[in-house]
Amino acid sequence: MLNTAKVFAVALAATVLAAMYAAAQEDATKPAGYGHRLEQVRDRGKILCADNTELVAWSWIDEDGKNRGFGPDYCRAYAAAVFGDATDDNWEIVNITFAERPTVMQSGEIDVMTIANTWTAHREVHWGNFVDIVHYAGLGVISSKDSGIVPNDWQTLDGTTGCTGAGTNYVQMAADMESEYGITFELALYEIGGVRDAYDAGRCDFVLTGSDGTGSFVRQLTRSTPDDHNIWTSVFGKDPWAMLVPHGDDQWFDLIRMVGWILVNAEELGVTQDNVEDMFANSPSVKVQRLLGAEGTWGQDRLQIADDVAVNIIKEVGNFGEIIHRYYSAEAEEKGWGFYRERGPDNLYLRGGLMYVPENT
Amino acid sequence: MPAPVQGDLRSRVETHSSVPLWRNIYVLRAVTQIAAALLIVGLIGFLLNNLFVNAEKRGVDLGFGFLSLRASIKISNAAIPYSPDNSYFYAFLVGVVHTLRATLLGIVLATILGVLVGVARLSHNWLVQKIFAVYIGAIRNVPLIVSCYFFYFGLVLRMPITKEAVHLPGPIFLSNRGVYTIWGEPTASFGTWLLIVLAAVIAGYFVRRALRNRETRTGMPSYPNLAALALLAVGGVAGWLALAGGGEPPLLPSIPVLKGTNFRGGMRMTPEYFALVACLTVYIATYIGEIVRGAIQSIPRGQLEAARAVGLSEIHVLRYIVIPQALRIIVPPTIGQYINLTKGSSLAIVVGYADIYVVTRNIIEQSGSSAPMFLLIIATYLLIAAVYSLIGNLYNRSVQIVER
């Protein structure tokens, strides 16, 4: 005899089994953690990018109190990818010191780190997933002309004093440099603003910093002019810079990585901030149409972003070359937004650089 | 008559036990204490669990095994021999030694300055009194981090560069890379000389005791301290001359010489060490000064007047009447200030001094183990504070009134 209680129990068991099966199915294709970050960002209505705001060109705060620079532009691009456009409210630069990076990454409070970040095996394993390299630097040296140090001659650093940031990998690279060249020097460690002040006051003869930061560093000195210093063209070791997301969410990692590909592919295909709308509507190129999402998708639905996500991104920040030009060019230098440097390895592979990303197809 | 008393007692006990549990004061007390204990244990458990679960989720290693790996970081001007080939743990120890070196010197100097400030605040000299009042007001109301920044970037680094160093007799060189002085380089005979000095110290101790006994017994001034010092000086000088005559003196002078942009040789105090000790000393001395002033003022006026009435000099009034009584009030809060100074020393990062915290930041950068390193820092500061408190409390016990 069937009674309602039994029917109910069977129905319940069936539901639970079905739910477990569905969950198992989902687990099979979506590993644990998949999609949590995007959900969090959408709920918060804001993407949090960790950066240090004391490096003109890479990331600083302008006279209007707005975050500017290469890092913040990437943050805006991410916001445009997630929310359709970047407004004042849907992206935020969380200012951190370089020494705070491991703790910030391990706490998982930050969505993406756009700080000038050297990619090493150790950090990949301990901090989070790095996406593609956006800048190829090395450990750069700035030496004062009074010190008697000969630029690009590592031996002349022997017996002198250097300054660098506390809690950076430069502290280890300095030790490596000493053993490689058989020299010893004194090394004073400060927070990043302290390095500038101490060098300015003559506490040290040279500064170790990312070779990309050397140009803006000498411009921020207040008690001397850039001509009083030598910026070395030799660099020590490899110092590849890349954006970084917390471990454990493949969807978020893919999304952040795709934004980087879109920026580089857009430059390759000649899609710029000015012509993107026009290209979207009129370009006969299939590659352009695919990139901009007018024809077919490469997985936007799975990343839960708009098909024309590339249009939103390029409209917001331009392509990779435009971002570089904005901060590393003669115009940027004139405007006080950065400084001029040759576009070297971060040029497109078509022009002899190393920027070579897969197609958005 | 015992019987009725017993009956009385029993009836009283019965009344007592008839109080319902929820109104029984003993039960209530026990329950609230257990509840409070459970709450605290639960909270700690929750936090630890949170740490472990999240560490597991993010694949963060919480073990301490990494401490034996090669440190590979550079620490300049280490107080104990250090190279990047040493382990992370040894690098951490270097940081601990640096913190101890700064806090111990800071404690000694802050105590001396603090006592001077406290006494000067009570001076009858209007100018002295006001100067120190302004000093206390100005330093105490500025955050320590601002003082340290000012000391380092505003004063120490504004000293001339090494090429234009201020040359004082000695020679002593003052520059923004530190203070350099002449120093003795120990030679082979240094150990022998130390033994001679030690013998002179021991002999001096006995001579001092004998002379003091004589002084107490006869009332004749016998200058025990002076005699002991003279013996030490004679022993030291005679030993030195003998050893120098027999070969080489125990110490050879090492004179700082400018080579390139840095001085070589001699003794050096780095600007970072100087600035940290200076800002901690100046800051904590204001608090100790106020403690000393309060303690001295708490001694009844009548005692001072009585002491002067029996003809004690002002120095003797301080030495025999004021200080022994004031110490009882001064010591406990001063221990608290020593611990404040120790914690404040973590501002070393502002002035570029490689203390526990700065070294730890570099270790975390290199090893990725932030949680274990922070636990280690917490434990180390706790230990240092506990040791300072212990020493302070032992001293405190020795100055308290022995009551019967």
Side-chain angles (χ1 to χ4, degrees), chain B residues 336-359:
Chain B
Q337 291 307 326
Y338 291 167
I339 290 168
N340 258 348
L341 185 145
T342 307
K343 291 184 295 182
S345 73
S346 64
L347 290 175
I349 193 163
V350 175
V351 302
Y353 181 70
D355 77 329
I356 299 182
Y357 185 69
V358 169
V359 172

Side-chain angles (χ1 to χ4, degrees), chain A residues 213-274:
Chain A
T214 50
S216 61
F217 188 93
V218 291
R219 277 169 187 80
Q220 287 172 345
L221 299 172
T222 51
R223 279 198 266 163
S224 56
T225 66
D227 294 336
D228 297 333
H229 310 279
N230 290 312
I231 296 176
W232 293 27
T233 47
S234 296
V235 294
F236 184 80
K238 289 185 286 188
D239 191 4
W241 292 5
M243 310 303 177
L244 159 77
V245 296
H247 277 304
D249 187 340
D250 288 356
Q251 184 198 38
W252 185 245
F253 174 74
D254 285 344
L255 196 161
I256 295 297
R257 177 174 234 181
M258 285 315 118
V259 173
W261 289 10
I262 287 168
L263 290 171
V264 176
N265 276 328
E267 185 183 7
E268 215 176 294
L269 297 170
V271 182
T272 65
Q273 200 164 10
D274 290 334

Side-chain angles (χ1 to χ4, degrees), chain A residues 25-61:
Chain A
Q25 286 299 300
E26 194 157 276
D27 275 348
T29 55
K30 291 185 180 177
Y34 193 96
H36 284 186
R37 180 67 61 176
L38 183 60
E39 216 176 286
Q40 260 180 35
V41 171
R42 289 244 159 87
D43 286 350
R44 199 194 293 131
K46 181 188 268 188
I47 177 165
L48 299 179
C49 304
D51 209 327
N52 181 278
T53 56
E54 291 189 48
L55 207 60
V56 172
W58 186 272
S59 166
W60 81 101
I61 294 174

Side-chain angles (χ1 to χ4, degrees), chain A residues 99 103 106 122-123 126 146 159-161 167 172 178 185-187 189-191 197 201-203 205 223, chain B residues 58 72 74 76-77 149 152 158 163 176-177 261-262 268 271-272 349 352 361-362 365-368 370:
Chain A
T103 322
Q106 287 175 356
H122 177 272
R123 290 176 178 179
H126 287 90
D146 293 341
T160 61
T161 300
Q172 185 199 28
E178 282 186 328
F185 48 79
E186 182 192 15
L187 190 66
L189 308 177
Y190 306 91
E191 293 291 1
D197 294 347
R203 173 68 184 88
D205 305 308
R223 279 198 266 163
Chain B
R58 293 178 214 293
S72 80
K74 186 167 166 54
S76 282
N77 306 313
Y149 196 91
Y152 186 65
R158 294 291 164 116
K163 267 180 215 158
N176 67 358
R177 302 240 172 132
T261 52
N262 283 328
R268 174 192 184 193
E272 292 75 31
I349 193 163
R361 296 257 49 152
N362 286 321
E365 207 296 320
Q366 226 51 59
S367 69
S370 45

Side-chain angles (χ1 to χ4, degrees), chain A residues 124-243:
Chain A
E124 174 71 31
V125 173
H126 287 90
W127 291 13
N129 291 121
F130 284 82
V131 294
D132 304 85
I133 298 170
V134 289
H135 183 64
Y136 297 83
L139 180 57
V141 183
I142 301 159
S143 58
S144 88
K145 285 186 178 163
D146 293 341
S147 65
I149 295 173
V150 181
N152 304 319
D153 183 353
W154 302 94
Q155 299 295 335
T156 56
L157 294 180
D158 192 34
T160 61
T161 300
C163 289
T164 197
T168 63
N169 64 322
Y170 305 146
V171 182
Q172 185 199 28
M173 286 172 97
D176 295 351
M177 192 189 290
E178 282 186 328
S179 68
E180 187 160 333
Y181 295 108
I183 53 176
T184 48
F185 48 79
E186 182 192 15
L187 190 66
L189 308 177
Y190 306 91
E191 293 291 1
I192 203 83
V195 175
R196 197 176 51 221
D197 294 347
Y199 180 65
D200 223 358
R203 173 68 184 88
C204 34
D205 305 308
F206 68 96
V207 167
L208 297 177
T209 187
S211 61
D212 188 86
T214 50
S216 61
F217 188 93
V218 291
R219 277 169 187 80
Q220 287 172 345
L221 299 172
T222 51
R223 279 198 266 163
S224 56
T225 66
D227 294 336
D228 297 333
H229 310 279
N230 290 312
I231 296 176
W232 293 27
T233 47
S234 296
V235 294
F236 184 80
K238 289 185 286 188
D239 191 4
W241 292 5
M243 310 303 177

